[in-house]
Amino acid sequence: MMTCLSLFQVMNLSCSLWQDNSMSVKQFAFTKFCYITEQCFFSFTLILFMFLASLTGNALIALAIWTNPVLHTPMYFFLANLSLLKIGYTCSVIPKMLQSLVSEARGISREACATQMFFFSFLGISECCLLAAMAYDRYIAICSPLHYAARMSRGVCAQLAMISWGVGCMVSLGQTNYIFSLDFCGPCEIDHFFCDLPPILALACGDTSHNEAAVFVVAILCISSPFLLIIASYGRVLAAVLIMPSPEGRQKALSTCSSHLLVVTLFYGSGSVTYLRPKASHSPGVDKLLALFYTVVTSMLNLIIYSLRNKEVKAALRRTLWEKKVLSHG
């Protein structure tokens, strides 16, 4: 991730991302998320609760996995990476949204907007790739158990994680630079609560059809391609499970995959509806609700899905919390 930050700083100096153009808008503002004071307070409280639950829960999952040797396996290594992605994902968007709910400070500079878009896209694309790596891990574990240790060694897992983070970084870097090399003539109000790609493109001057096509192609490659790999992996897993002679074996195999499949369905379902449906069918209100779902709700559900459906994670969380309690009273 530090490498990605360094690359972003270099491009900040060398490319046209922050090009000084007096004709282009330098400051944006988000539209109001709500207008009634009581409604704003309720929204702020609910979103803050989900944000803190997501932040705390995912941090505890990552900590429990890293500090418990029994969970030092490929499946939990990827889960720890997923939790870290979820933390960054929500932190890139939600704090600014919470600020705009309780104050009139809804403005954001062009540079800050581009930075937010970069991190949001970077973490989202990385998650798509990481979910595919997790599906491949389950495929090897169930369909080739005798070769699992060799095919999913620590080195292989680290490479898959690095590829996921690296692909997200490079694609997001290019996409953000491509979009913010455009001029923005106004209006300067973003019809969203963060700097997502479609609402930013809507503010650009002139013909943006090529940019929209590029965004769509990236969405196809970064959403559909990993999703197809996941479908292929679980297709093979299902075929292997159906021919297992032992009902206990089938149940154990399905239970190890069900949590991941649920996370995939929630994340890819909301992401596909947002970025792959026709432009004519986009509605700002629907887009905001979908964005709220895949930024904060799915991150909070990550804790619930993996902790409540996995005995090993629950046991590790209890041990981690108990150790913290003992240390605080020691």
Side-chain angles (χ1 to χ4, degrees), residues 8-152:
F8 191 54
Q9 289 167 354
V10 170
M11 286 204 66
N12 186 27
L13 296 173
S14 63
C15 71
S16 59
L17 189 57
W18 319 129
Q19 187 176 20
D20 186 17
N21 187 333
S22 59
M23 297 296 292
S24 187
V25 170
K26 297 295 191 298
Q27 186 82 13
F28 298 104
F30 300 113
T31 56
K32 287 183 71 69
F33 196 73
C34 60
Y35 293 91
I36 303 172
T37 303
E38 292 77 8
Q39 186 183 42
C40 290
F41 178 75
F42 175 77
S43 299
F44 175 85
T45 305
L46 180 62
I47 294 169
L48 178 63
F49 170 78
M50 291 190 292
F51 173 64
L52 293 177
S54 171
L55 207 61
T56 305
N58 283 293
L60 282 174
I61 287 178
L63 181 63
I65 290 171
W66 293 123
T67 57
N68 286 273
V70 71
L71 298 184
H72 290 177
T73 63
M75 181 174 71
Y76 294 112
F77 169 77
F78 290 127
L79 178 56
N81 274 268
L82 181 64
S83 294
L84 294 176
L85 281 171
K86 291 292 189 183
I87 291 170
Y89 201 59
T90 53
C91 287
S92 68
V93 171
I94 301 303
K96 184 65 178 176
M97 178 191 182
L98 291 172
Q99 180 190 21
S100 65
L101 277 170
V102 294
S103 72
E104 292 299 320
R106 293 180 288 112
I108 185 169
S109 68
R110 179 175 171 135
E111 292 85 353
C113 188
T115 302
Q116 187 184 60
M117 179 184 288
F118 164 75
F119 279 106
F120 176 78
S121 300
F122 159 46
L123 296 165
I125 293 169
S126 298
E127 182 169 347
C128 288
C129 298
L130 190 67
L131 289 172
M134 294 174 76
Y136 176 73
D137 169 66
R138 292 299 84 205
Y139 158 68
I140 298 296
I142 293 172
C143 298
S144 301
L146 298 179
H147 302 97
Y148 182 70
R151 292 190 182 183
M152 297 303 296

Side-chain angles (χ1 to χ4, degrees), residues 128 175 196-198 212-228 267-282 287 290 294:
C128 288
Q175 187 167 250
D196 201 4
L197 284 78
E212 291 169 3
V215 170
F216 186 76
V217 169
V218 168
I220 288 289
L221 292 175
C222 297
I223 295 178
S224 299
S225 298
F227 185 68
L228 290 175
F267 183 77
Y268 274 95
S270 55
S272 298
V273 171
T274 301
Y275 296 105
L276 297 181
R277 76 182 194 271
K279 181 182 177 182
S281 64
H282 277 255
D287 288 348
L290 285 170
Y294 63 71

Side-chain angles (χ1 to χ4, degrees), residues 227-248:
F227 185 68
L228 290 175
L229 290 174
I230 293 170
I231 294 297
S233 297
Y234 278 113
R236 296 290 299 274
V237 167
L238 182 61
V241 167
L242 290 176
I243 61 174
M244 285 182 178
S246 168
E248 292 80 9

